[in-house]
Amino acid sequence: MSDMEEKSSEYKKGLWTVEEDRILMDYVRVHGKGKWNRIPKITGLKRCGKSCRLRWINYLSPGVKRGDFSEEENDLIIRLHNLLGNRWSLIAGRVPGRTDNQVKNHWNTHLSKKLGIKKEKNKVSTSSRITIKKSRQDFSTSSSPNSKLPHSCDGGGHVNPKVIMTSDGHSQNAVDCEGAQGLVAITDDYESSSWFFHDELKSHTPNVMEFLDESLDFVWLGL
DNA sequence: AAAAGTGTCAACCGCCGGTGC
DNA sequence: AGCACCGGCGGTTGACACTTT
């Protein structure tokens, strides 16, 4: 047997038992969350660290809400999905008590059917995930307080930083640098963008704007 | 009653980025 | 710079429950 095979066969797969849950909960109670790969060594649990982490996050964590989704939750998920695409962790972060896995499953099995949406490949692709991370990292590398602003607005422009823009080079035109108003595009595609003033959007979709206000400085849509 | 079909959702998989050495 | 390790993400799978025939 190869090392790889030996390694993979040392862990159990499939549904968790009550006893396994108890061991994992005891571990978290004593050691806290994190260092998931230590769990099999310390507790003797025949589960890999990844599996332990997932089990805790999706099921055992005390913050996880069980049961049916309410109409309010459905409404919020639908609107956030319209805005963000399949970014389940971001969406779940705005639905208290629900995990990304729950939201994803609920969307795929209930909401997409309810809305008559055919399952399709992720429109907001992995590359856009990277774009967000890169752009935020790029902005934060500077020590300047304005370092999070686009280049054209750097250096004294009064820009509302809560702005969504495409990342294709047109984005710098999307912000009124002199006024305090930000422009917000709800789209993957600059050419067919729907542009709104920040306040205009806020009056229509308060939950979405609450999400933007609290969670992100810039969201770069567009590919 | 039982086989076949369908729905649900917990769990797995592969990939990626961050971090430390 | 390159590597290993870890945590996190979204897509997918498969076991189980439920419904239909």
Side-chain angles (χ1 to χ4, degrees):
Chain A
M1 182 186 277
S2 71
D3 289 350
M4 283 279 281
E5 285 168 331
E6 198 172 344
K7 182 123 187 166
S8 65
S9 65
E10 106 190 19
Y11 298 120
K12 193 183 155 192
K13 291 181 183 178
L15 295 179
W16 282 62
T17 65
V18 174
E19 177 63 9
E20 288 174 323
D21 282 346
R22 188 191 61 74
I23 293 170
L24 179 55
M25 290 193 79
D26 285 347
Y27 172 89
V28 173
R29 195 176 303 122
V30 174
H31 298 92
K33 291 179 280 182
K35 309 287 182 188
W36 301 107
N37 285 312
R38 291 183 186 173
I39 294 176
K41 291 166 192 157
I42 293 175
T43 67
L45 191 60
K46 296 284 188 291
R47 296 282 184 173
C48 69
K50 260 187 159 182
S51 183
C52 292
R53 177 185 157 271
L54 222 56
R55 182 62 177 171
W56 174 262
I57 289 172
N58 287 328
Y59 196 85
L60 297 177
S61 175
V64 175
K65 195 195 287 184
R66 317 299 303 173
D68 294 342
F69 281 67
S70 67
E71 276 308 306
E72 288 75 21
E73 287 174 318
N74 286 341
D75 182 56
L76 182 56
I77 291 167
I78 290 166
R79 284 191 287 149
L80 286 170
H81 188 269
N82 284 338
L83 179 65
L84 298 166
N86 297 358
R87 292 201 183 93
W88 305 115
S89 62
L90 270 179
I91 294 171
R94 304 304 304 167
V95 186
R98 301 298 187 179
T99 69
D100 54 356
N101 214 30
Q102 281 179 309
V103 171
K104 179 172 57 184
N105 282 333
H106 187 59
W107 176 269
N108 287 333
T109 59
H110 295 100
L111 298 181
S112 62
K113 287 175 190 169
K114 184 177 167 183
L115 297 172
I117 297 169
K118 273 190 173 178
K119 195 168 182 181
E120 58 185 39
K121 286 287 180 186
N122 189 5
K123 278 187 81 178
V124 181
S125 67
T126 302
S127 62
S128 70
R129 266 187 8 228
I130 295 166
T131 302
I132 287 174
K133 290 182 177 178
K134 277 185 177 171
S135 62
R136 298 192 77 187
Q137 185 182 35
D138 289 345
F139 290 148
S140 62
T141 50
S142 163
S143 59
S144 160
N146 285 329
S147 63
K148 288 188 174 185
L149 301 177
H151 298 310
S152 65
C153 304
D154 209 347
H158 300 295
V159 178
N160 184 340
K162 309 325 191 275
V163 176
I164 306 174
M165 296 177 290
T166 57
S167 58
D168 57 3
H170 298 282
S171 57
Q172 291 171 8
N173 298 325
V175 178
D176 176 2
C177 295
E178 297 304 317
Q181 289 279 24
L183 276 170
V184 178
I186 306 299
T187 181
D188 290 350
D189 172 16
Y190 181 83
E191 292 303 321
S192 60
S193 301
S194 300
W195 292 89
F196 304 88
F197 284 106
H198 184 272
D199 286 344
E200 182 188 356
L201 189 69
K202 191 170 187 171
S203 68
H204 288 98
T205 55
N207 283 331
V208 169
M209 294 314 297
E210 182 189 342
F211 160 76
L212 295 173
D213 287 342
E214 292 180 9
S215 302
L216 296 169
D217 293 319
F218 288 89
V219 178
W220 294 77
L221 301 180
L223 306 173

